[in-house]
Amino acid sequence: MDNKIDIKSLNLEELTGFIVKNGEKAFRAKQVYQWLHVKQVDTFDEMTNLSKAFREKLEQLCYITDLHQEAVQISKIDGTRKYLFLLEDGNVIESVLMRYKHGNSVCISSQVGCRMGCRFCASTLDGLVRGLKPSEMLDQIYKIGKDIGERISNVVVMGTGEPMDNFDNLLKFIELLTDENGLNISQRNLTVSTCGIVPRMRELADRQLAITLALSLHASNQQKRLELMPVANKYDIHEVIDACRYYFEKTGRRVTFEYSLVGGVNDTDEDARELSRLIHGMNCHVNLIPVNPIKERNYVQSNAAVIAAFKNKLEKNGINVTIRREMGRDIDGACGQLRKRYITSKEG
Ligand code: SF4
């Protein structure tokens, strides 16, 4: 791939510039773009309405990102599919397909590994390897759509990685994914999560996109958040909540707070009270997640009665709450563990 252009990461304008510079007519760009993003071919040879000479030229100058499906686990309970994809440089990433009544939703990774160090997360145990290119984020969705032969209607950037730590590539990915000349997924059907990188949250708000912002909150006060999420050393919980308020002001989009319930750590009555005070008056939604146990850390799931009581308390304080349905329970293990097992087996 050295020095070749990552053609699937170019927007239509950039592609047009590139194609004209290489002596072809501008309208060819749209054809190529459609091959890449609508028909989603993986080789230049398949672009049959282009001349052979032009296809050869593209082949010399560019490459097409083509993730290889290394493994897939399929849930017998609800059809959830967990994919392990091999990247061109030998790294692996995970993506998940969830089937809902309202459509197919794909959760993608934005980085190989992660450097944020959240204590309850398996994806960060080996640190960050690198950010994914826009084409590598897109191709997770394209490959899964092809695999099931159905349209993907919703995308969540909530797999391995901190999307705001790969910000420029994230923005480009959003542009390509929601482009009417491409897959044309509505911005409203896209959710991006963050552990709370405040300057980037504000920058995203200023762009006034219609995407949903999901904040991984996971604690009701600064002290507890510090114990679970090292990023809190850099950005205080109140700064992060202010950035969420700002996001709503700028975009009119209700913010989602993700709250993983860890048994005995952040699931008490007092936590529910503090959380209610913290986000009081906000146009928001709290998603409670029964945390997946990870064997490298000593975290256990809150029991069902504690989860129900926590939800109740928030609702009494006028907060919108859901408990995240566990998808693919039979194939599970927390996010990042399929990759971890794969790497360990290769090392062994
Ligand atoms: S929860 Fe997200 S941000 Fe935190 S370590 Fe895991 S992948 Fe990174």
Side-chain angles (χ1 to χ4, degrees), residues 209-254:
L209 304 175
I211 63 180
T212 300
L213 181 67
L215 174 75
S216 300
L217 183 57
H218 307 310
S220 56
N221 63 40
Q222 171 67 3
Q223 193 50 40
K224 286 205 174 173
R225 197 158 194 264
L226 267 173
E227 281 164 29
L228 292 170
M229 305 176 74
V231 68
N233 282 301
K234 199 149 185 205
Y235 305 109
D236 179 86
I237 196 166
H238 293 100
E239 261 184 273
V240 178
I241 297 293
D242 278 353
C244 291
R245 289 186 201 274
Y246 184 72
Y247 191 84
F248 177 74
E249 269 165 41
K250 284 283 173 182
T251 63
R253 302 285 296 164
R254 187 174 80 159

Side-chain angles (χ1 to χ4, degrees), residues 130-144:
R130 67 173 176 86
L132 294 185
K133 297 175 234 171
S135 58
E136 291 170 326
M137 292 189 239
L138 277 177
D139 212 38
Q140 297 172 57
I141 300 155
Y142 293 178
K143 288 294 181 316
I144 292 176

Side-chain angles (χ1 to χ4, degrees), residues 276-344:
S276 305
R277 276 199 297 272
L278 185 70
I279 60 178
H280 177 74
M282 284 183 78
N283 200 330
C284 66
H285 166 242
V286 174
N287 196 16
L288 297 175
I289 308 158
V291 76
N292 276 305
I294 23 176
K295 67 174 188 319
E296 289 82 356
R297 314 249 202 244
N298 286 326
Y299 290 141
V300 293
Q301 218 175 68
S302 308
N303 71 43
V306 170
I307 296 173
F310 199 92
K311 175 171 186 268
N312 245 323
K313 189 135 244 151
L314 294 183
E315 278 173 342
K316 279 205 182 109
N317 290 319
I319 295 166
N320 260 303
V321 194
T322 46
I323 297 173
R324 184 186 287 175
R325 232 170 81 212
E326 271 186 280
M327 301 292 281
R329 233 175 317 130
D330 53 333
I331 56 166
D332 222 350
C335 178
Q337 292 203 332
L338 183 59
R339 171 173 172 261
K340 190 142 179 46
R341 261 204 307 280
Y342 175 85
I343 293 170
T344 312

Side-chain angles (χ1 to χ4, degrees), residues 186-223:
S186 156
Q187 285 186 5
R188 294 178 167 276
N189 293 348
L190 176 62
T191 298
V192 174
S193 80
T194 179
C195 65
I197 315 273
V198 169
R200 296 295 192 226
M201 292 164 71
R202 289 185 168 267
E203 218 176 312
L204 188 66
D206 287 335
R207 292 185 181 254
Q208 299 188 313
L209 304 175
I211 63 180
T212 300
L213 181 67
L215 174 75
S216 300
L217 183 57
H218 307 310
S220 56
N221 63 40
Q222 171 67 3
Q223 193 50 40

Side-chain angles (χ1 to χ4, degrees), residues 2-3 54 89 98 103 115 124 131 167 174 179 187 197-198 206 219 230 232 239 244 264 275 281 302 319 326 348:
D2 295 348
N3 299 326
F54 182 37
D89 63 1
M98 290 154 293
R115 60 173 167 167
T124 194
F167 195 63
I174 295 172
D179 182 359
Q187 285 186 5
I197 315 273
V198 169
D206 287 335
E239 261 184 273
C244 291
L275 177 59
S302 308
I319 295 166
E326 271 186 280

